[in-house]
Amino acid sequence: MPNEPFNLMSLQEAIDLLGVSRATIDRWRKDKRLPYLKIGKEVWIDRIQLELWVRGGMRNPVPAEKVAAGSAVFPLPSKEASSFQTEIETEITVGYQSGAALLWSALIVKSRGWFEQELRLAEPSRRYRVSWKHADSGMELVEELIAGRVQIASVGDYPIAASMELGRLLPRFQPAMLAFDGKCAGGTGISLVARKEEGIRYGDQLTSSSAISTVIRSSASRRLQAVLDRGRKEAVQVLGSRRMADCLAALLEGRVGAAMLWEPYLTWAQTLGAGMTVAADDCGGDYLTGIMADEAWARTHESVTVSYLKAHIRAHELIRRDPLAAASIIRDASGIPLEVILPVLASIRWDASVYSRDLLTLSRLGEDDSGLKLRSSSLSAGPAFQASYLQEAAAALKLPSLPDMAIPHDWTDDRLY
């Protein structure tokens, strides 16, 4: 045995160095062949081999003869492989919606270049090209995810619930929700705005001599349908649009008697005097939005996924800390007036973490449409939610650790992500 000292670190030292959770380290050892040495019951990691493994892309094959009980597992990347990796440009497309206020964090990430910044920090030897795909509704982005043209997408709660069912029907599409985005408590964020002369109100007497407009296959249309299902829906004509801006325009021009609007168009309609907001019964719980990806893609591109979530959390922090700066970015990106953006930002809870309350809301939406039931006891228990990516992003940003389980009960302001 050579006289040089062993250059080994404990598993906990490696966790602290990389800024990841124990669950992530264990998964890397199993799936990505993290180099380690097992002596008895203790696991050690060679510092040099760890650096080579990280710089080599974290996906180096291990010869079968190296994997044996008590033997070192040190996959060494060849010079040719490392050189090849630095020359390949990986393309990533992020889907976003500038017309949905609860998803405005993506506008900040895009404008500030934070995703690209985090990618450079995570893998300086690799080249990435980030593209951004704008959409008018979340279901458009779900279609892009299925087709593989978008890798990360910001969508509302109805597209989230619908994608879970599509994942059951399409074997090659396994949607994973990575984090929440904006949240609004029940009865806010989406509501019906009616022209005063219509005399519309919720309940069994929901009728209108004019049509009601909303975006088809969306969180807004889902909530409108829930209201109509409890009333005399045959008395109401629903006009579906592709863009929420068209719904507001139809209301302003008198072509419809009411419109089911989400923010910021809800506040915008009130600012323009387009009509009055009709108080809503509970028709689906809170209004939620989130970040989605295909599970296989996220697992293969773990550092990319974590990098986006780091940028996502940073955008939330900017909105909470400096809403005026955030509102200015959103105005420039969307064209929506500042006097509309500022009150809307203040009405939204910007929190990426997952509560059992949130899972209950999604479960209700899924049950109503497809019989889908989402387990709320553990984030890692079902295929829909992958906790480790958000946990790793929070750890890298030196934030308090997130649990493996959904945070129990209602939202709390003790810590926001």
Side-chain angles (χ1 to χ4, degrees):
M1 183 176 295
N3 294 327
E4 299 146 10
F6 290 114
N7 195 24
L8 302 177
M9 69 174 77
S10 68
L11 201 59
Q12 186 58 53
E13 288 174 323
I15 290 171
D16 295 338
L17 177 65
L18 297 173
V20 298
S21 66
R22 174 60 187 263
T24 297
I25 282 284
D26 289 340
R27 188 174 70 255
W28 285 354
R29 288 170 55 200
K30 178 182 178 182
D31 298 338
K32 296 195 174 187
R33 305 297 176 86
L34 172 75
Y36 68 92
L37 175 68
K38 191 170 184 181
I39 304 175
K41 295 183 178 180
E42 298 296 325
V43 175
W44 301 90
I45 295 177
D46 184 282
R47 294 177 185 272
I48 296 175
Q49 302 300 333
L50 177 63
E51 181 179 354
L52 289 171
W53 178 77
V54 171
R55 293 186 181 278
M58 303 166 63
R59 288 185 297 275
N60 302 298
V62 181
E65 61 270 15
K66 293 285 187 179
V67 183
S71 67
V73 185
F74 293 156
L76 294 174
S78 66
K79 292 182 179 179
E80 293 81 5
S82 298
S83 175
F84 178 71
Q85 285 181 338
T86 58
E87 294 176 1
I88 291 179
E89 184 176 65
T90 302
E91 294 189 18
I92 306 158
T93 302
V94 181
Y96 71 104
Q97 302 172 63
S98 63
L102 277 72
L103 298 168
W104 275 343
S105 59
L107 299 185
I108 296 172
V109 172
K110 180 176 183 286
S111 175
R112 289 292 180 93
W114 283 343
F115 183 27
E116 294 86 342
Q117 183 184 102
E118 293 293 349
L119 285 172
R120 289 192 294 270
L121 287 172
E123 297 191 72
S125 63
R126 294 180 69 87
R127 294 172 56 197
Y128 292 98
R129 183 172 69 182
V130 177
S131 302
W132 295 81
K133 169 70 176 179
H134 182 269
D136 294 315
S137 70
M139 288 307 295
E140 292 181 40
L141 294 178
V142 171
E143 293 173 2
E144 294 293 295
L145 279 173
I146 293 172
R149 292 187 292 265
V150 163
Q151 285 71 51
I152 299 171
S154 298
V155 299
D157 49 18
Y158 175 77
I160 291 170
S163 70
M164 296 300 112
E165 178 63 12
L166 289 171
R168 294 168 59 182
L169 299 174
L170 304 172
R172 295 184 180 180
F173 176 56
Q174 293 300 315
M177 185 172 171
L178 307 174
F180 278 100
D181 203 351
K183 307 176 183 181
C184 280
T188 62
I190 296 180
S191 191
L192 192 69
V193 176
R195 296 171 66 86
K196 294 179 181 179
E197 60 268 24
E198 290 295 317
I200 294 177
R201 65 185 180 86
Y202 277 123
D204 293 337
Q205 302 303 315
L206 178 58
T207 59
S208 175
S209 58
S210 302
I212 298 177
S213 177
T214 195
V215 172
I216 57 174
R217 299 188 307 154
S218 71
S219 298
S221 65
R222 170 63 192 81
R223 283 162 172 80
L224 176 59
Q225 189 61 50
V227 174
L228 295 178
D229 286 343
R230 296 203 302 269
R232 301 200 326 243
K233 59 183 177 181
E234 68 279 359
V236 178
Q237 179 188 8
V238 177
L239 293 182
S241 298
R242 292 187 66 253
R243 301 192 313 143
M244 190 57 78
D246 295 336
C247 298
L248 177 57
L251 186 65
L252 288 168
E253 295 166 7
R255 290 184 280 116
V256 295
M260 182 68 85
L261 304 175
W262 60 53
E263 293 290 13
Y265 297 96
L266 180 57
T267 296
W268 207 349
Q270 295 166 346
T271 303
L272 296 173
M276 57 184 297
T277 301
V278 183
D281 297 328
D282 182 14
C283 55
D286 304 323
Y287 173 32
L288 309 172
T289 61
I291 311 299
M292 297 201 70
D294 181 81
E295 185 179 356
W297 181 88
R299 185 169 59 250
T300 305
H301 300 83
E302 183 170 343
S303 63
V304 177
T305 305
V306 172
S307 294
Y308 188 82
L309 293 183
K310 288 175 66 179
H312 178 64
I313 294 174
R314 291 173 63 187
H316 281 187
E317 193 274 334
L318 176 66
I319 295 172
R320 296 193 300 263
R321 173 177 52 82
D322 193 347
L324 182 58
S328 299
I329 293 172
I330 295 164
R331 176 200 57 199
D332 295 342
S334 67
I336 298 170
L338 205 62
E339 58 267 26
V340 173
I341 297 172
L342 281 168
V344 171
L345 285 179
S347 68
I348 298 171
R349 175 185 175 90
W350 299 99
D351 188 1
S353 54
V354 182
Y355 288 75
S356 56
R357 166 179 174 171
D358 302 326
L359 299 186
L360 178 61
T361 295
L362 294 183
S363 181
R364 287 176 179 173
L365 288 170
E367 280 186 323
D368 288 345
D369 285 327
S370 61
L372 173 68
K373 292 186 178 181
L374 303 178
R375 284 179 282 183
S376 60
S377 59
S378 172
L379 297 185
S380 57
F385 295 95
Q386 300 296 328
S388 61
Y389 304 112
L390 186 60
Q391 288 174 324
E392 189 173 336
L397 292 172
K398 308 301 182 184
L399 297 174
S401 60
L402 278 163
D404 293 329
M405 310 286 285
I407 301 172
H409 310 306
D410 289 339
W411 301 335
T412 175
D413 291 330
D414 291 344
R415 54 185 183 182
L416 298 178
Y417 292 83

